[in-house]
Amino acid sequence: MTKLKLGPIPDDKPVKLTVDLPAELHRDLIAYGELLGQEAGQGPIEPKKLVGPMLARFIATDRGFAKARRSRLTFEGAKRIP
C-alpha cells in the first residue's frame, strides 16, 4: 500500500475560494484523490476536497513559516506589554 502524506479528509464547513490550477496539477489531484480513496476503502475523492488539507499539511510542516510566525507572535506580544 502507498504511504500518502494526507490521511482521512475531515468533513468541515468550507470557505469558498476560487483558484486557477494548471491542467497537469489538476490531473495529479485527480490521481491523488483516486489513490487516497482506495486507501480509505471508498471512491475517488474530488480534487476540491484535497486542496484544503494539502495546504494545511504544507503550512503545518513548513519550518520557516513556523519560525517566522512564532517570531511575529512574540514581537506582537511584546508590544502589548505595558
Side-chain angles (χ1 to χ4, degrees):
M1 187 172 279
T2 306
K3 177 73 172 128
L4 300 178
K5 286 193 173 221
L6 287 183
I9 306 294
D11 188 14
D12 197 6
K13 184 178 177 183
V15 174
K16 189 146 186 113
L17 179 68
T18 302
V19 296
D20 292 323
L21 300 175
E24 184 176 357
L25 178 56
H26 185 255
R27 287 189 294 272
D28 287 344
L29 286 171
I30 290 169
Y32 196 100
E34 290 170 354
L35 288 171
L36 189 60
Q38 285 175 359
E39 274 196 359
Q42 49 189 226
I45 298 172
E46 298 177 73
K48 66 182 182 181
K49 296 274 188 184
L50 297 173
V51 174
M54 285 180 162
L55 288 173
R57 172 80 177 192
F58 174 82
I59 288 174
T61 59
D62 187 318
R63 292 181 184 179
F65 175 71
K67 183 178 177 183
R69 187 178 214 183
R70 278 192 309 273
S71 180
R72 179 178 164 204
L73 290 174
T74 302
F75 177 73
E76 288 178 357
K79 288 192 311 187
R80 292 187 194 129
I81 298 173

